[in-house]
Amino acid sequence: MSAVKTFPRRAASSPALPTLFLLAATLATVLLAVGLGSVPISPADTLKAIGHGLSGAELSGNDVIVWQLRLPRVALGWLVGAALGVSGGAFQGVFRNPLADPYLMGVASGAGLGATLVIALGLATLWLPLFALTGAMLSVFTALLIAREGNRLPPARLILAGVVVGSILTAFTTYLLLQNADRIRQVFAFTLGNLAFAGWPQVGRLLPYVLIGGGALLLLARALNTLQLGDLTARSLGLPVERLRLLVIVAASLCTAGAVSYAGIIGFIGLVTPHLVRRLWGADHRILLPISAIAGGTLLVLSDLLARTLTRPAELPVGVVTTLLGGPFFLYLLRRQKT
Amino acid sequence: MLEALDVSVRAGDLLAVQQVSAAFERGAFSAIIGPNGAGKSTLMRALAGLTPVQGGEVRWQGRSLASHSRRERARTLAYLAQTEALPPDTKVRDVVALGRGAGEWLWGLFPGNPLSFGGLSADDDGAIACAMQRTDTARFADRPVAELSGGEQQRVSLARALAAEPDFLLLDEPTNHLDLAYGLNLIKTLREEVHNGLGVVAVLHDLNLAARADHLLLLSEGRVVAQGRAENVLTPRHLEAVYGVRVDVIRHGGRLVVVPEG
């Protein structure tokens, strides 16, 4: 018997401190992301510019940079990160698999094919979000239909169906790319994730997906907790397991598809964020999901800040930054995890 | 009363349970026994309403179990799976709390406090505390499940099932993986619940534990071989026919003990 009581593995009994830290980090990140750039702007000026923008007053000088360039980019990045964080947590919960991520059901490949079609057909980039979203949701529904067994949706079949549908769509994308090699750069800009074209209209169009998808997931949070006891036990407790699984997958995919269609394919935020949150806040989905949304948003804004400042004046694709940071970090978490 | 009337259940392509009829009373401890593959677990799932029956009918409270709503079923029939997955990072109290009101998964999400996301009422808290008391799990209520032994986790699952305040508790091989003391302790806890009016049906492999039940059901290849009191079911003739092993059944301290020969 060891006499020394080790620290509890989680601070779940008092998550107030991490929550305060997260909120402070979020505020600091937003102010920093708006302030830093080719023209540095102080937090005070930032707040003033936001005030001007909100009140509809005439914008002058730095106000324009803040209100029309940086703030919409920060807002879009935060929404995309929140969407990926919440849907990552939901996917990991519904599959009871910590390796699940928002792209598990083929969302990324479907969106990629949609975007590639727009670029290959030479359509206006205005169409890109719509095509990407349609491609993403079509691939999810195809995977759901294939995995269906009577009225059941066995998780193992869902994962396999999602992966294979994704591979097939990626093959189409690759073929289209080879046929249109001159436009390959544009497609890469999408598949590597990009927030450079952010504006208020994009923020406004993405918002409903995140609110509806994320809101539905929050309503299902307690049911996700019950599902952790296994399908059979959850059903014995009166949970309509198959309906729950379908709803969670559709809602989480809606979030992800919205995010992908406006920001491209951004890796690792949806995988790493829920892991991080679970360590500090515990596994209760009623807390895990909203906190993952906030943390995911903040992490993505931070990554985007690095993406546009590290190699100034050139910009890195934000998906490269999240993968370079998130990949090793995930491996670190994996090594520390006791089984 | 929970009844199986001529029940047949498919498991995969196999008819795992064939024309089984049995009645289980509240306030009685019933054990289902039989060799591996006899259809015990499949019958349990049918009794719990978790698998459709191909023939016959499971009747609960005087009408077909299938006609009960999900919620009614969940409130009155509790089921403990053979291997219940317990989320390792979750505190014991939170696991037990999952036994309450899961049927209200979406629409009844906000009972009482709208900020609680389906949080618990005072009734719920009382039932949870009581279930932990009766299963002797209250002392590790705040510890994560991962820190408990297999036997302690089994008691947590039992507390989760009892927290629903069911009329019937169906347990699929609850004493597997339990050592002698934990096994006996579990039976003792179940006995207390039965004394308070709960109906218990358990699949048991250990015939000497099953000998303590009020009512036994011996299955082989999906069919009932014998049912009734221990002395009528645990006979050398029945057990040899079903298990293919010669046994002696002796009486020790007023209880039957099955001793395999050889």
Side-chain angles (χ1 to χ4, degrees):
Chain A
M1 277 296 283
S2 103
V4 182
K5 179 93 182 82
T6 51
F7 283 106
R9 292 192 303 152
R10 301 160 303 117
S13 49
S14 59
L17 205 64
T19 309
L20 275 178
F21 174 78
L22 176 64
L23 293 178
T26 301
L27 189 69
T29 306
V30 167
L31 288 178
L32 211 62
V34 175
L36 288 182
S38 47
V39 181
I41 296 168
S42 72
D45 284 349
T46 302
L47 290 175
K48 215 182 295 168
I50 293 173
H52 289 165
L54 285 177
S55 64
E58 202 166 318
L59 302 176
S60 57
N62 285 347
D63 289 359
V64 178
I65 297 177
V66 169
W67 187 255
Q68 288 180 351
L69 292 175
R70 292 196 193 151
L71 202 57
R73 182 166 179 159
V74 166
L76 188 72
W78 200 86
L79 267 186
V80 167
L84 294 175
V86 75
S87 60
F91 269 118
Q92 290 175 7
V94 80
F95 287 108
R96 292 194 292 270
N97 187 338
L99 290 178
D101 90 335
Y103 303 135
L104 191 67
M105 296 296 294
V107 169
S109 322
L113 181 59
T116 309
L117 267 177
V118 170
I119 293 162
L121 294 173
L123 296 176
T125 46
L126 176 75
W127 290 100
L128 202 147
L130 184 67
F131 271 65
L133 187 82
T134 311
M137 290 315 283
L138 277 180
S139 66
V140 172
F141 284 119
T142 309
L144 281 171
L145 277 177
I146 292 172
R148 202 173 71 107
E149 194 182 294
N151 60 354
R152 300 188 50 229
L153 289 169
R157 279 170 68 115
L158 277 169
I159 294 176
L160 283 173
V163 168
V164 173
V165 167
S167 304
I168 293 171
L169 296 182
T170 304
F172 276 118
T173 304
T174 311
Y175 173 75
L176 280 175
L177 277 180
L178 289 174
Q179 295 295 306
N180 299 274
D182 51 321
R183 297 184 178 131
I184 219 161
R185 277 186 67 92
Q186 276 172 281
V187 175
F188 271 147
F190 177 82
T191 51
L192 291 174
N194 201 331
L195 290 165
F197 307 111
W200 287 119
Q202 282 83 353
V203 175
R205 280 179 225 136
L206 174 58
L207 193 60
Y209 296 103
V210 182
L211 286 182
I212 294 170
L217 291 177
L218 287 187
L219 287 181
L220 299 170
R222 184 169 196 255
L224 276 175
N225 286 347
T226 307
L227 192 63
Q228 304 314 304
L229 297 174
D231 280 15
L232 210 51
T233 303
R235 263 196 286 148
S236 80
L237 288 168
L239 203 68
V241 167
E242 310 302 332
R243 225 181 309 162
L244 170 69
R245 195 168 279 139
L246 180 69
L247 273 174
V248 170
I249 290 173
V250 170
S253 298
L254 196 67
C255 270
T256 311
V260 167
S261 60
Y262 286 101
I265 299 155
I266 294 172
F268 277 96
I269 295 279
L271 180 64
V272 171
T273 309
H275 275 269
L276 201 61
V277 173
R278 217 174 279 119
R279 292 187 76 89
L280 291 168
W281 280 270
D284 184 342
H285 288 82
R286 291 171 297 175
I287 295 164
L288 177 73
L289 294 183
I291 296 284
S292 290
I294 298 173
T298 304
L299 282 174
L300 187 53
V301 171
L302 199 62
S303 304
D304 187 48
L305 177 64
L306 293 175
R308 64 190 173 79
T309 51
L310 277 181
T311 57
R312 226 167 29 184
E315 233 182 67
L316 286 169
V318 65
V320 170
V321 175
T322 58
T323 305
L324 284 179
L325 290 179
F329 185 68
F330 184 74
L331 293 179
Y332 165 75
L333 287 181
L334 199 65
R335 291 283 305 169
R336 281 195 49 173
Q337 194 119 18
K338 282 170 269 173
T339 42
Chain B
M1 194 159 70
L2 183 63
E3 282 173 290
L5 295 177
D6 216 19
V7 164
S8 298
V9 190
R10 202 181 294 279
D13 293 330
L14 190 86
L15 208 54
V17 172
Q18 300 180 40
Q19 297 171 321
V20 168
S21 291
F24 305 98
E25 305 281 348
R26 284 191 66 177
F29 181 8
S30 309
I32 300 179
I33 54 174
N36 290 325
K40 305 183 296 293
S41 295
T42 310
L43 176 62
M44 277 306 250
R45 283 201 283 272
L47 290 173
L50 300 176
T51 190
V53 294
Q54 265 69 44
E57 185 178 66
V58 176
R59 290 181 74 79
W60 170 228
Q61 295 177 336
R63 60 192 174 96
S64 164
L65 179 57
S67 75
H68 288 258
S69 74
R70 267 189 298 110
R71 272 171 219 180
E72 279 173 346
R73 196 199 67 214
R75 265 192 218 117
T76 51
L77 296 179
Y79 172 83
L80 209 62
Q82 207 173 109
T83 47
E84 180 160 309
L86 289 180
D89 287 338
T90 306
K91 276 189 285 184
V92 167
R93 188 197 314 279
D94 294 338
V95 171
V96 177
L98 293 176
R100 297 294 293 184
E104 324 267 329
W105 67 300
L106 187 58
W107 313 120
L109 203 58
F110 304 120
N113 177 5
L115 289 178
S116 68
F117 290 100
L120 302 165
S121 67
D123 275 0
D124 292 329
D125 285 335
I128 291 162
C130 184
M132 289 200 292
Q133 193 72 47
R134 276 142 55 205
T135 52
D136 197 22
T137 49
R139 64 204 154 90
F140 32 74
D142 289 314
R143 280 167 57 191
V145 168
E147 292 178 8
L148 306 185
S149 74
E152 289 167 337
Q153 292 193 12
Q154 176 71 297
R155 303 192 73 80
V156 172
S157 291
L158 182 63
R160 190 272 303 153
L162 291 177
E165 300 178 310
D167 296 329
F168 254 94
L169 177 56
L170 306 162
L171 308 98
D172 196 352
E173 301 193 10
T175 55
N176 281 17
H177 319 296
L178 295 189
D179 67 25
L180 188 64
Y182 268 112
L184 282 172
N185 200 288
L186 183 77
I187 300 293
K188 189 171 145 252
T189 308
L190 292 176
R191 266 281 165 216
E192 284 163 13
E193 297 300 323
V194 166
H195 183 73
N196 294 328
L198 184 74
V200 169
V201 186
V203 170
L204 295 174
H205 263 306
D206 185 335
L207 297 178
N208 294 325
L209 284 180
R212 295 160 182 259
D214 305 314
H215 179 89
L216 277 79
L217 182 69
L218 176 60
L219 289 185
S220 178
E221 294 177 357
R223 293 178 185 275
V224 178
V225 175
Q227 61 177 314
R229 300 178 58 79
E231 45 277 25
N232 301 329
V233 175
L234 296 177
T235 62
R237 194 170 60 87
H238 284 146
L239 297 178
E240 281 169 28
V242 166
Y243 291 93
V245 179
R246 295 185 63 82
V247 298
D248 271 345
V249 179
I250 57 175
R251 208 168 257 286
H252 179 82
R255 227 179 248 119
L256 293 184
V257 179
V258 178
V259 185
E261 280 181 16

